[in-house]
Amino acid sequence: LPVLGGERALATMTSVSADVLGLGGRKGVLAPGADADLLAVRGNPLEDHSALLDVAGVWVKGEPLRL
């Protein structure tokens, strides 16, 4: 199996998956008109993938969720 680099792995989990599901342009991107779903983490997941486990905030359709 090929190994994905950090940036490609994150893209696969976000914009690429949205495109495959027919949701490209709405999900998996930060852009005007998109749904504004966002996961913020403490740390840089490109340097350390375990940073994805240290969630700082979540927004769904632009509204923050209480953690």
Side-chain angles (χ1 to χ4, degrees), residues 33-66:
D35 285 346
D37 297 339
L38 181 68
L39 172 73
V41 297
R42 294 175 188 91
N44 183 346
L46 296 177
E47 295 174 1
D48 177 10
H49 66 273
S50 69
L52 292 169
L53 301 174
D54 193 3
V55 176
V58 177
W59 290 261
V60 176
K61 295 186 180 180
E63 297 294 324
L65 296 181
R66 290 184 63 172

